[in-house]
Amino acid sequence: MDATPAPPASPAWRRRRVLVAAAVLLAGLGGGGVWAIGTLTEPCPGAPLSVTVAVEPEIAPPLREIADRFETARHRVTGRCVTVRITAADAATTARALGRGDSDVDAWVPESTNRLTEARRAGPGGSDVPPDGPSLAGSPVVFATTRPAADDLRAARVRPSWRLLLSDHAGGLWVAHRMLDPAVDTTGTFAMAALDQVANPGRAAVAELRRTAPKGVAPLFAELTGVDRFGRPLLVTSEQTMVNHNLAHRPNPAVALVPHEGTLMLDYPLAVVAKDPQRREAVDAFLSAARSRSSRITLQRYGFRAPDGTIGASQARRLGLDPAAPKPLKLPTRKELDRAAASWRVSAPR
């Protein structure tokens, strides 16, 4: 505990002068955005400037914490305090709404930049969606399995690999691989794109993946408890989704296996879609707060990595993760991602 005595309070006129100077400095450093930070001692005149940010459901809880801190600090745009409403929204639904031009959100945080392209293609309103945006967090696509299954695979000297999706046996052991439809779920899209990079999956193997695909994340993770001791489930999912599962299913957590060839990351970009200049400035102010060091710590507490794939050592220990960034695969082209998303339609029986 720091025993250093607190400095004496500054006179009121000095506090006001420091506050004005800080506001001017922040406005000058804002890179074009005329916003500044107020204090708890300064009430906001007039009605607040409220913006709505639609976000992927798994990142909504930490972003709500960040938004609460942001509002407490009384960030201002043209003298009005900014309030931020975080709404959890399915990415596919939001993409369609933006494409139709009937969405009232000011910004959007999907799980992947891939979704921004989806919105831009969804209709004439998609032209207002930028092709990319600053990443708030990262989460690699991994295999989730039980600890006993991971131990079995290690004992049999089976290296985690995307090729494990092509057969129900590995090193003489039976495995139950499961993944979600790549046309619906980005982890499935990335898994198929990764598989295309490291192997040549035949139609029969892809058809089997399609046949055994669960209908959503909850049924997918039911595989962790729904198979017997020797079932050895290998679930394609994001690392953060696995962390969410573990926090709700102690004391027998799942573990993440990262394919040795490398993997792809969900990148959670923030796309500004508001047209009004003041609302865009308000979103920019929130973006700056969301990318601060304290916000990054909040996101990591929920199992998200930094955009570069790293995570603090203490959080990694708490969540059972490797603090090092996973080896990246080559970023797929748009054509490769489209092919991956359509792969199950091609394999479907006629």
Side-chain angles (χ1 to χ4, degrees):
M1 182 175 179
D2 188 358
T4 305
S10 301
W13 63 268
R14 185 174 298 170
R15 287 201 301 272
R16 286 195 295 271
R17 179 180 296 177
V18 170
L19 181 61
V20 170
V24 171
L25 177 61
L26 284 170
L29 294 176
V34 187
W35 55 271
I37 302 175
T39 69
L40 294 175
T41 60
E42 285 197 339
C44 294
L49 177 58
S50 179
V51 294
T52 300
V53 184
V55 307
E56 193 67 12
E58 65 264 26
I59 202 171
L63 287 184
R64 287 191 180 114
E65 281 193 26
I66 292 166
D68 287 346
R69 287 201 301 267
F70 175 85
E71 292 180 12
T72 299
R74 292 185 175 171
H75 291 255
R76 304 178 186 210
V77 168
T78 60
R80 297 169 64 187
C81 281
V82 178
T83 62
V84 180
R85 179 171 173 254
I86 302 294
T87 63
D90 171 71
T93 302
T94 305
R96 289 192 295 270
L98 287 168
R100 292 191 304 266
D102 62 2
S103 173
D104 59 358
V105 303
D106 300 293
W108 181 30
V109 183
E111 81 278 26
S112 169
T113 299
N114 191 32
R115 293 290 192 180
L116 303 182
T117 301
E118 183 180 324
R120 289 170 64 83
R121 292 175 169 179
S127 60
D128 294 328
V129 179
D132 54 28
S135 173
L136 299 186
S139 188
V141 178
V142 299
F143 292 129
T145 192
T146 62
R147 287 191 184 278
D151 292 340
D152 288 349
L153 292 171
R154 190 179 305 110
R157 303 190 179 215
V158 176
R159 297 177 74 190
S161 169
W162 292 111
R163 296 176 188 273
L164 294 178
L165 294 175
L166 301 179
S167 172
D168 58 6
H169 285 80
L173 304 176
W174 186 81
V175 295
H177 41 60
R178 301 286 187 268
M179 59 182 285
L180 299 178
D181 184 348
V184 175
D185 190 270
T186 301
T187 62
T189 307
F190 282 0
M192 292 306 300
L195 193 54
D196 282 341
Q197 286 191 34
V198 304
N200 184 21
R203 290 185 62 176
V206 176
E208 180 62 14
L209 285 169
R210 180 179 184 273
R211 185 187 69 80
T212 59
K215 303 295 185 183
V217 172
L220 176 70
F221 274 85
E223 296 281 341
L224 289 176
T225 55
V227 296
D228 61 35
R229 163 65 180 81
F230 300 103
R232 302 182 192 90
L234 290 175
L235 314 181
V236 175
T237 186
S238 74
E239 183 182 71
Q240 195 278 332
T241 301
M242 185 202 73
V243 167
N244 264 353
H245 169 83
N246 286 348
L247 292 175
H249 292 82
R250 294 169 174 160
N252 297 309
V255 295
L257 304 179
V258 181
H260 73 87
E261 302 96 342
T263 190
L264 298 168
M265 294 260 295
L266 304 181
D267 61 338
Y268 299 93
L270 187 146
V272 184
V273 296
K275 295 179 181 179
D276 177 74
Q278 288 189 14
R279 301 180 84 80
R280 293 181 69 89
E281 287 181 10
V283 173
D284 285 342
F286 176 66
L287 171 62
S288 180
R291 300 184 79 194
S292 68
R293 182 176 180 276
S294 62
S295 294
R296 186 156 296 178
I297 292 171
T298 298
L299 286 159
Q300 291 185 12
R301 185 158 42 83
Y302 283 84
F304 292 95
R305 291 177 177 263
D308 65 0
T310 58
I311 187 169
S314 61
Q315 294 294 352
R317 283 193 301 272
R318 182 177 70 87
L319 300 171
L321 305 178
D322 185 343
K327 177 183 175 182
L329 280 176
K330 177 177 70 72
L331 198 63
T333 65
R334 183 71 255 162
K335 183 177 180 180
E336 289 168 339
L337 286 171
D338 288 344
R339 185 170 66 242
S343 58
W344 287 16
R345 291 200 304 270
V346 174
S347 70
R350 297 183 183 277

